[in-house]
Amino acid sequence: MKIISLNGSPNGRESSTNIMVEAFLSGAKEAGAETINIFLSEKKIEYCRGCHTCWFKTPGHCIIKDDMAEILALMKRVDVIVLATPLYFVNISGTLKVFIDRLTATGGDPHSNTIDENDGVDIQKPAAPKLVMISNCGFRDRSQFEVISLWIKRMALLMQTDVLCELYVTQGRQLRTKDLESGIVSNYLKLLQRCGKEIAIDKKLSEETILQLEQNVL
Ligand SMILES: Cc1cc2nc3c(=O)[nH]c(=O)nc-3n(C[C@H](O)[C@H](O)[C@H](O)COP(=O)(O)O)c2cc1C
């Protein structure tokens, strides 16, 4: 099992997003997964120019020469992609969105039909990696995550894949307080580790873990 995390926080390694990602990945590693943690804020990724050269002239290849090619190479043959972001104006961060737009080069022209008419099987695309969504926000209420929860499901539809789990923390700054005295933060991070472990082993969360996630809201 190979897992890649793409962290869209401008705060990179210092972000609350990364505290969540590291806990998740450490659990996955414990279960034998190979993990890669990418900080998009450290990469040079230009805006998609919308020229569609990557569809019509140089299929699969973007004309922009930046760090995107290196990341796409790493993403090849991973089983799970973790999309991680702070909540910005009830949405994913601009850093993550700029990266997502550049995935245009990996998708076919939606106007062309890649389905083999004989057996209905898509003849061009290998199975897409599964998705995990991780986010934290500043405010208190979990409804802040409604938009990205819908967004990640639509992304999965577009990529013809599934969302394995969504992990959201409100008032994310408290993750940095290391509230070890009461154990609330450390217990929550252990729960995230368990999520990583279960995803690495079963590609799904157990019912008990789902229940604990509902109960252990920070
Ligand atoms: C531009 C910007 C927009 C934000 N929008 C929201 C928001 O809509 N809802 C919210 O709860 N928090 C919002 N926040 C707060 C961040 O989500 C919060 O500080 C988060 O913990 C930052 O995570 P990070 O350390 O991973 O970057 C916003 C912060 C910034 C800088």
Side-chain angles (χ1 to χ4, degrees), residues 77-108:
R77 288 183 291 277
V78 297
D79 304 285
V80 175
I81 298 173
V82 178
L83 294 175
T85 180
L87 199 74
Y88 277 7
F89 289 94
V90 295
N91 212 321
I92 60 171
S93 67
T95 311
L96 183 59
K97 186 61 166 62
V98 168
F99 166 80
I100 294 287
D101 288 353
R102 290 288 301 285
L103 294 179
T104 305
T106 67

Side-chain angles (χ1 to χ4, degrees), residues 173-186:
R173 230 166 211 288
Q174 61 189 328
L175 288 169
R176 305 185 201 193
T177 61
K178 302 257 186 286
D179 185 3
L180 296 173
E181 220 170 286
S182 69
I184 296 172
V185 171
S186 57

Side-chain angles (χ1 to χ4, degrees), residues 3-17:
I3 304 179
I4 190 167
S5 163
L6 301 155
N7 182 335
S9 171
N11 296 312
R13 290 169 201 270
E14 305 305 319
S15 62
S16 299
T17 305

Side-chain angles (χ1 to χ4, degrees), residues 163-178:
V163 181
L164 299 181
C165 68
E166 299 173 56
L167 303 167
Y168 301 127
V169 163
T170 56
Q171 300 176 91
R173 230 166 211 288
Q174 61 189 328
L175 288 169
R176 305 185 201 193
T177 61
K178 302 257 186 286

Side-chain angles (χ1 to χ4, degrees), residues 4-63:
I4 190 167
S5 163
L6 301 155
N7 182 335
S9 171
N11 296 312
R13 290 169 201 270
E14 305 305 319
S15 62
S16 299
T17 305
N18 190 37
I19 294 174
M20 295 179 73
V21 168
E22 282 197 337
F24 181 87
L25 293 182
S26 76
K29 247 189 261 178
E30 214 182 293
E34 191 182 318
T35 65
I36 311 167
N37 193 2
I38 299 285
F39 299 93
L40 297 175
S41 59
E42 296 175 2
K43 304 290 178 188
K44 183 173 178 279
I45 302 174
E46 289 183 29
Y47 298 119
C48 172
R49 296 177 193 166
C51 63
H52 293 114
T53 303
C54 62
W55 284 359
F56 302 123
K57 288 191 186 156
T58 56
H61 297 282
C62 181
I63 52 165

